[in-house]
Amino acid sequence: MNDKITVLIDELCKNHGLTTDEYAYLIEYRDEESKQLLAERARQVREKIYGRDVFIRGLIEISNYCKNDCFYCGIRRSNKECQRYRLGKEEILACCKEGYQLGFRTFVLQGGEDAFYTDDILCDIIRDIKNNFSDCAVTLSLGERGRMSFECLYKAGAERYLLRHETADAKHYASLHPKELTLQSRLQCLRDLKEIGYQTGCGFMVGSPGQTIESLAKDLKWIEEFKPAMCGIGPFIPHHATQYAGEQPGSIELTCFLLSVIRLIHPGILLPATTALATLDTNGTEKGILAGANVVMPNLSPADAKEKYELYNNKAYNGMEAARNVELLKKRMETIGYQVVTDRGDVREAL
């Protein structure tokens, strides 16, 4: 580890930010020693705020219909192989009931941008979840919507919203999406969500086609400035029915390195060890937690829905990734010195 890397890590720990060029340098010249030091510092600041608790979210994939045609995504509208489905309110509530009994106190409703789910339909679902499970948080991850829609869903009881920005580099964003989707629109949605009062989450893929060290540095700088409550990052994994079918998946090592950096940028942030990590490595969840993550999102969706919600190839949804196997997750976390807790797991300020 060279002297400049040491200085940058100290600066990051002290001031929770670097210049874009400094982030790029940290990424480009990382080595085993710097990775270990960053992970150690990340664990220290995370444990100061959250202890060794790991928060679990019950993921419910409500629909794989999507109006968009993002070039990397398995549920893009032009994928004719995709077997489409939607969950009704009773199916969603049944997932919540099972999750509640298993100890989940946050439910994440995730889906493509499906026009079937109007504000009225979603507000009705949200209100019923809150009426039946009043001590639980409702998180939405349903893509871009208008500000009035976001406000309506917030008033109905949704407290959190996850919307990955995918990349803070406009040129890179344009290379991954059709012309009608713009980085400007995506970032405006995130600003709207935060202004409305949501605990707002962003995120990006690590190793997506065309990504450079400079674009990753822009991501880190944008996260530093935006100050999200949550940030979901995971390695890019190709899907066979997209133009990127032959691309190599992203790096677990770099993903974990960036998790540590993001933890040091915002010590109180909620950071998931994502399913993509577990898909590429059977110990991916543990590696994410040891890098500074403190959230895991096991899947509560009905069995047939899990198989059809295929954003990328070979998505992990059994074993530790299945909500019904939460006891296995607890044991695996205990082996690395952490504990799964029954808690809403709201974001906390740095102490």
Side-chain angles (χ1 to χ4, degrees):
M1 182 166 59
N2 67 44
D3 291 342
K4 184 172 180 179
I5 290 283
T6 305
V7 169
L8 290 179
I9 292 174
D10 288 343
E11 175 76 10
L12 183 59
C13 291
K14 181 180 178 182
N15 296 321
H16 309 299
L18 300 171
T19 68
T20 305
D21 287 344
E22 287 171 338
Y23 282 127
Y25 187 92
L26 196 62
I27 296 166
E28 184 170 5
Y29 295 102
R30 70 189 187 280
D31 58 17
E32 197 57 41
E33 195 177 354
S34 62
K35 285 184 284 187
Q36 289 180 8
L37 178 59
L38 270 169
E40 182 182 337
R41 299 279 183 88
R43 290 194 296 271
Q44 287 172 354
V45 300
R46 188 264 318 277
E47 288 169 20
K48 202 185 241 188
I49 301 167
Y50 293 104
R52 291 195 160 221
D53 291 348
V54 175
F55 302 125
I56 52 173
R57 319 298 203 200
L59 180 63
I60 305 170
E61 295 157 335
I62 68 171
S63 170
N64 69 351
Y65 282 88
C66 190
K67 69 178 185 181
N68 295 329
D69 211 21
C70 302
F71 302 150
Y72 51 84
C73 184
I75 64 170
R76 59 190 307 213
R77 70 167 186 262
S78 63
N79 180 8
K80 304 304 181 188
E81 298 176 23
C82 185
Q83 298 178 51
R84 306 290 175 175
Y85 75 90
R86 293 185 180 105
L87 300 185
K89 182 173 75 170
E90 296 310 315
E91 291 174 289
I92 293 169
L93 288 171
C95 292
C96 293
K97 181 178 180 181
E98 181 181 12
Y100 192 87
Q101 292 168 346
L102 290 168
F104 290 84
R105 295 298 179 266
T106 290
F107 302 117
V108 182
L109 307 188
Q110 179 177 305
E113 292 192 20
D114 183 356
F116 171 84
Y117 292 97
T118 62
D119 290 347
D120 286 345
I121 288 174
L122 284 174
C123 286
D124 183 47
I125 292 169
I126 293 163
R127 281 192 287 264
D128 271 16
I129 293 173
K130 296 298 287 186
N131 287 337
N132 283 281
F133 311 99
S134 59
D135 57 337
C136 294
V138 174
T139 302
L140 303 178
S141 183
L142 302 171
E144 295 185 25
R145 302 175 77 93
R147 184 178 179 119
M148 288 181 65
S149 175
F150 290 145
E151 288 175 345
C152 182
L153 303 176
Y154 183 75
K155 288 174 184 174
E159 295 112 313
R160 305 176 188 147
Y161 204 104
L162 301 173
L163 181 65
R164 285 193 177 196
H165 66 281
E166 300 302 358
T167 172
D169 182 324
K171 185 177 178 182
H172 185 216
Y173 192 94
S175 75
L176 295 171
H177 300 88
K179 275 191 269 187
E180 64 267 22
L181 299 178
T182 66
L183 178 60
Q184 182 181 5
S185 174
R186 181 60 58 101
L187 297 186
Q188 186 57 53
C189 283
L190 283 162
R191 286 189 284 268
D192 287 345
L193 288 161
K194 195 172 182 184
E195 286 173 9
I196 289 165
Y198 284 95
Q199 292 182 39
T200 304
C202 61
F204 58 91
M205 296 175 289
V206 178
S208 58
Q211 189 177 67
T212 63
I213 287 174
E214 288 70 29
S215 58
L216 281 173
K218 288 180 182 179
D219 283 317
L220 294 175
K221 191 64 183 177
W222 188 82
I223 288 166
E224 175 195 318
E225 293 171 349
F226 181 67
K227 296 180 172 59
M230 305 166 280
C231 184
I233 71 169
F236 163 77
I237 303 175
H239 187 278
H240 64 274
T242 70
Q243 67 192 57
Y244 297 128
E247 296 287 334
Q248 291 298 308
S251 162
I252 290 173
E253 169 268 320
L254 179 54
T255 301
C256 289
F257 179 83
L258 294 170
L259 281 170
S260 298
V261 174
I262 294 168
R263 172 61 65 195
L264 293 173
I265 291 172
H266 292 309
I269 199 167
L270 293 164
L271 273 182
T274 58
T275 304
L277 272 175
T279 297
L280 290 183
D281 187 326
T282 53
N283 295 313
T285 301
E286 288 93 335
K287 289 180 179 180
I289 297 296
L290 290 171
N294 64 332
V295 173
V296 183
M297 296 171 63
N299 202 317
L300 271 171
S301 308
D304 58 340
K306 288 182 195 175
E307 295 178 16
K308 294 172 185 173
Y309 199 85
E310 189 182 61
L311 302 178
Y312 46 79
N313 288 344
N314 305 313
K315 185 186 77 168
Y317 56 81
N318 291 314
M320 216 166 40
E321 290 66 53
R324 293 153 190 87
N325 293 336
V326 71
E327 291 303 318
L328 174 61
L329 174 62
K330 289 178 180 179
K331 288 175 183 174
R332 293 272 292 266
M333 292 300 99
E334 286 168 5
T335 65
I336 58 170
Y338 290 82
Q339 59 184 359
V340 170
V341 293
T342 298
D343 193 297
R344 280 172 47 109
D346 289 299
V347 67
R348 299 175 191 168
E349 293 296 323
L351 301 176

